[in-house]
Amino acid sequence: MKKLTLSLLALVIHTVCQAQHFDVIPLGIYGGEQEDNLSAYLVGAPEENSFLSLDAGTVNTGIRKAIEFKSLSGTEEDILKNQIKGYFISHGHLDHLAGLIINSPADSKKNIFAIPPVIQILQNHYFITDTWINFADQGQKPILGKYHYNELQTGTEIPVEQTSLFLTGYELSHVNPYKSSAALVRYDNHYLLYLGDTGADRIEKSNQLEQLWKNIAPLIKKGQLNTILIEVSFPNSQPEHLLFGHLTPKLLVEELNQLKEKTGQKDLKNLHIVVTHRKPTKDNPEIIKKELLENNPLQVQYIFPEQGKKISLP
Ligand SMILES: [Zn+2]
Ligand SMILES: [Zn+2]
C-alpha cells in the first residue's frame, strides 16, 4: 500500500513538472503580405483565459480561427474585450500592430506595453487624427484614453495587470539604428521569450542579441526558460545585404551558437524554438522549415505555429 502511495505521488510530481507553463495561441504567424495572418501571439498562464498579446498584426481573424479550433472559448467580443488584457508591441511596423489599430473602436480599456521609441511611433504616426483617432492616453488631442501606455525600461520587470504575468523588455536591432524589442514573460518561476523582428548582431553591427543571450542564459541553465519565439523571415538564399533586419535559418543557428557559448550545449536540447514571421512569398515558409530542420546542429526543438491553433509546449 505504501509503495502504491509512493508511486502515485511520483506520478503526480511527474505530471506537475510536465505541465504546460504557458498557454500560447497564435492569432497570426506571417511577416507580411497576408493581412489576415500577421504576427500576434496570445500568451497566458495555463487555463487562466487572461492573455497578453505579443504583437498585434492580426487580431480579429485570429480570434475567429482560434474559436473554430477551440483554442479559445467565448465570443469574439468577449475575447477581444475581456480576455485580452494588454498588448506588447515590439516595434512600429504595421505587420505588428495593424490589428490593434483597426480593432481599437471595438476594444475595451487596457494597457499597451512598449519601449519608449515604439510608444513615440504609436503616438506620432498611428493614434493621430490624420490616420485614425487617438485611442491612447497621451499625444494628439482629442485623447480618448482607452489605451494606457506603459513604458518598458530595458531589464526592468513590471506586472501585466489583470493577469498572473510579468513582463521585461529588451531592445533589439532591426536595421540599425531602428529599434525593435523582445519581451521576457514570467509566470511564477517560469519564463517565455518573444522576440520582435531582429537582425543578427554580425549583420546589424550591434550587440543587442548578445546582451539578450547574456540575460537569459542563466534562466535556461536553471531550466526556467525553455520556449523562445523568434523570427526567421527569409530562406538562406536571401543575400545578406537584402535582409532588412531579419534572420535566415543560417543566421538563427549563428545566433544560437552565441547563446550556446553562454549556456553549454546540453541545456539547449530542451529549448523549444517557435519560428515566427516567415515571409509567405511563394514557397518560402516550406523552404525555411526544411532548411531549419536539415541543419540543426544544436538539436533544438523547432515548432512551426499555425494561426488559431494552441501551441503545445513542454
Ligand atoms: Zn515584421
Ligand atoms: Zn519589422
Side-chain angles (χ1 to χ4, degrees):
M1 184 61 192
K2 201 169 178 187
K3 205 170 167 188
L4 185 71
T5 316
L6 273 178
S7 11
L8 209 64
L9 189 69
L11 183 73
V12 169
I13 290 171
H14 181 77
T15 315
V16 169
C17 292
Q18 291 291 304
Q20 184 146 339
H21 300 304
F22 293 97
D23 280 349
V24 179
I25 298 141
L27 298 184
I29 63 155
Y30 288 128
E33 298 176 33
Q34 297 190 12
E35 76 266 19
D36 61 349
N37 195 358
L38 300 171
S39 291
Y41 297 83
L42 296 187
V43 60
E47 311 293 328
E48 207 177 65
N49 291 340
S50 297
F51 300 101
L52 171 68
S53 188
L54 299 167
D55 279 329
T58 296
V59 174
N60 182 279
T61 307
I63 291 174
R64 283 187 280 129
K65 281 263 161 75
I67 293 172
E68 223 175 277
F69 288 125
K70 302 197 174 6
S71 306
L72 292 171
S73 52
T75 61
E76 279 167 50
E77 189 190 0
D78 175 57
I79 292 163
L80 177 71
K81 284 190 169 165
N82 305 322
Q83 298 185 28
I84 300 177
K85 306 293 190 188
Y87 302 92
F88 162 76
I89 302 299
S90 67
H91 65 295
H93 288 158
L94 274 168
D95 54 322
H96 298 258
L97 53 80
L100 161 64
I101 308 291
I102 290 294
N103 285 283
S104 51
D107 208 348
S108 62
K109 216 170 157 73
K110 60 189 67 166
N111 289 304
I112 292 175
F113 301 90
I115 58 172
V118 176
I119 289 180
Q120 283 306 313
I121 292 170
L122 285 167
Q123 233 178 70
N124 297 340
H125 302 288
Y126 294 110
F127 284 131
I128 55 169
T129 313
D130 275 350
T131 55
W132 203 240
I133 306 157
N134 187 2
F135 279 96
D137 63 348
Q138 284 174 54
Q140 200 187 72
K141 285 178 185 151
I143 291 174
L144 298 192
K146 186 180 272 189
Y147 299 115
H148 174 58
Y149 289 125
N150 290 258
E151 279 196 4
L152 293 170
Q153 303 300 338
T154 293
T156 305
E157 188 183 80
I158 58 171
V160 181
E161 276 169 42
Q162 300 181 62
T163 74
S164 311
L165 305 176
F166 293 81
L167 175 62
T168 311
Y170 293 96
E171 283 185 1
L172 297 172
S173 182
H174 181 34
V175 186
N176 205 351
Y178 187 84
K179 294 240 184 335
S180 172
S181 61
L184 182 66
V185 180
R186 178 171 72 80
Y187 164 58
D188 196 12
N189 60 354
H190 289 279
Y191 292 84
L192 171 144
L193 179 68
Y194 171 83
L195 290 89
D197 294 357
T198 180
D201 278 354
R202 177 173 63 80
I203 313 276
E204 293 284 317
K205 298 186 175 42
S206 148
N207 67 348
Q208 301 284 23
L209 281 175
E210 191 198 348
Q211 291 301 318
L212 180 63
W213 302 149
K214 210 169 103 187
N215 279 301
I216 63 156
L219 303 176
I220 293 177
K221 289 179 81 158
K222 282 187 272 182
Q224 292 178 301
L225 168 63
N226 53 22
T227 305
I228 297 179
L229 291 85
I230 188 168
E231 70 132 283
V232 182
S233 297
F234 294 112
N236 287 329
S237 58
Q238 189 80 3
E240 287 191 350
H241 69 282
L242 293 176
L243 287 171
F244 311 110
H246 294 296
L247 297 173
T248 60
K250 249 193 224 159
L251 288 169
L252 175 62
V253 171
E254 190 175 309
E255 284 298 338
L256 290 176
N257 267 311
Q258 298 298 317
L259 175 59
K260 188 196 78 176
E261 296 291 305
K262 297 172 169 54
T263 61
Q265 169 127 22
K266 92 174 177 358
D267 297 297
L268 286 196
K269 278 192 182 162
N270 297 322
L271 202 57
H272 288 67
I273 304 268
V274 180
V275 178
T276 68
H277 206 268
R278 286 176 290 170
K279 299 265 184 194
T281 318
K282 294 188 210 150
D283 44 3
N284 273 358
E286 279 310 307
I287 297 171
I288 291 167
K289 182 174 181 179
K290 193 163 165 267
E291 287 175 347
L292 284 168
L293 296 174
E294 277 177 0
N295 177 32
N296 183 8
L298 301 172
Q299 295 175 274
V300 297
Q301 318 286 319
Y302 284 115
I303 294 171
F304 298 89
E306 287 176 66
Q307 186 179 37
K309 285 197 181 164
K310 189 167 166 175
I311 298 179
S312 283
L313 291 170

